[in-house]
Amino acid sequence: MTQPLLVDRSDSVVTLTLNRPAAMNALDVPLKEALRDTLTALEHDRSCRAVVLAGAGTAFCAGQDLREHAETLAAGGTDPLGTVRTHYNPIASRLASLPKPVVAAVRGMAAGAGAGLAFLADFRIGGPGTSFLLAFAKVGLAGDTGASWSLPRLVGHAKAVELLMLAEPVTAEEAYRLGLLTRMVDDEQVLETAQELAARLAAGPTVAYGAIKRQLSVGDAGTLSEALAAEAQAQTICGATADHRAATAAFVAKRRPAFEGR
C-alpha cells in the first residue's frame, strides 16, 4: 500500500512529502492523520532540526479531498466538518508552534487547506508554476487550517478579506509581491532550494529559532508589555543554552560558531 506521507531524513533535515499525486495531494483522512501524528513526533525529536513540507507530483496540495467530503455529507452525519477539529486544527497548531524552522516547497497549486499549510510554514519557496487559491468560499465554507490567523499576518486584513471572499487564484508573481512566497526559483529547483535553506537553518541556533517563533506569535497580536515579557522569557531560555555560550566565545575569538541546537 502506498504511504500517504513520505518521511525522508537527510542529516538533521526531515522532508515530509504529501504523497497522493494522482489527486493533487488532496487531504483525505489517512493523509491528515499521518501528517498530524508525524508533526507531533517531530516536535520532540531532537535529531530533527528543520522540516521541509512538499507535495509529490505537479501540485503542492489541492486542499480537502472533496470526493471524500461529499461521501461524508451523503452519509448524513451530525458534524460533517468534524475534520476541522479532529485534523486541521491540530495540524495547524503543530505546524505553527513547531520549535524548529519549517520550509514549504510550494510547487504548483496550493489550494484551500493546502494553501493554509503553506502559510503556516516559516519560509515558502515557489516557482513560476506556483499558485495559491483560497477556495473555501467556492464551496460555501469559511477558511480553516489557520488561514484566518496566518493570512492577515502575511498580507494584512484587507487583502486577507479579498483573497478569502473572492477566492481568485494568486499567481506566483503576485504571491511573491504580497509576501506569500519568500523566494522564487525555477520550478524544478523548488524542492532543492527548500531543502538547502532547511539545511542552512538546521545548522543554526535552532533553540533561538524556536524562541523567535514563540515571541513573534505573541508580538503579532499582543500588547507591548506582553511582547516584552515574551522577549524576556525567550532570552532567559536562549541565554542558558550551550549554543549561546559557544557562539559568544567564538565571536570573541573571531572564529565561526558551530551550533548544536542545545
Side-chain angles (χ1 to χ4, degrees), residues 175-196:
Y176 183 64
R177 186 184 71 80
L178 291 173
L180 296 177
L181 286 177
T182 310
R183 194 174 297 174
M184 280 268 288
V185 296
D186 292 338
D187 285 325
E188 58 272 19
Q189 295 178 329
V190 168
L191 178 58
E192 179 184 356
T193 302
Q195 290 174 326
E196 288 174 352

Side-chain angles (χ1 to χ4, degrees), residues 199-210:
R200 171 186 167 185
L201 292 162
T206 48
V207 174
Y209 294 156

Side-chain angles (χ1 to χ4, degrees), residues 217-230:
S217 70
V218 174
D220 274 345
T223 64
L224 174 59
S225 61
E226 289 169 337
L228 293 175

Side-chain angles (χ1 to χ4, degrees), residues 61-88:
C61 177
Q64 169 64 36
D65 187 325
L66 289 181
R67 292 183 183 275
E68 180 186 76
H69 183 57
E71 293 173 359
T72 301
L73 291 174
T78 59
D79 189 13
L81 270 299
T83 186
V84 173
R85 293 185 179 85
T86 303
H87 303 115
Y88 289 122

Side-chain angles (χ1 to χ4, degrees), residues 210-248:
I212 288 168
K213 292 175 68 168
R214 288 192 296 274
Q215 67 181 194
L216 285 175
S217 70
V218 174
D220 274 345
T223 64
L224 174 59
S225 61
E226 289 169 337
L228 293 175
E231 289 178 0
Q233 181 185 41
Q235 296 297 52
T236 297
I237 293 169
C238 294
T241 63
D243 277 350
H244 167 64
R245 296 177 183 277
T248 302

Side-chain angles (χ1 to χ4, degrees), residues 57-191:
T58 58
F60 177 72
C61 177
Q64 169 64 36
D65 187 325
L66 289 181
R67 292 183 183 275
E68 180 186 76
H69 183 57
E71 293 173 359
T72 301
L73 291 174
T78 59
D79 189 13
L81 270 299
T83 186
V84 173
R85 293 185 179 85
T86 303
H87 303 115
Y88 289 122
N89 284 0
I91 289 170
S93 179
R94 284 158 194 169
L95 261 182
S97 64
L98 203 66
K100 51 202 77 181
V102 179
V103 183
V106 191
R107 258 189 90 178
M109 173 63 75
L117 293 177
F119 298 157
L120 289 166
D122 302 303
F123 302 87
R124 289 158 300 282
I125 310 301
T130 298
S131 62
F132 295 97
L133 177 62
L134 279 300
F136 303 103
K138 287 184 175 292
V139 290
L141 292 175
D144 61 35
T145 320
S148 65
W149 181 87
S150 62
L151 198 54
R153 285 165 168 77
L154 291 170
V155 302
H157 178 88
K159 194 66 180 181
V161 170
E162 178 186 335
L163 295 178
L164 282 164
M165 287 192 180
L166 298 185
E168 296 174 344
V170 181
T171 65
E173 292 77 11
E174 178 72 355
Y176 183 64
R177 186 184 71 80
L178 291 173
L180 296 177
L181 286 177
T182 310
R183 194 174 297 174
M184 280 268 288
V185 296
D186 292 338
D187 285 325
E188 58 272 19
Q189 295 178 329
V190 168
L191 178 58

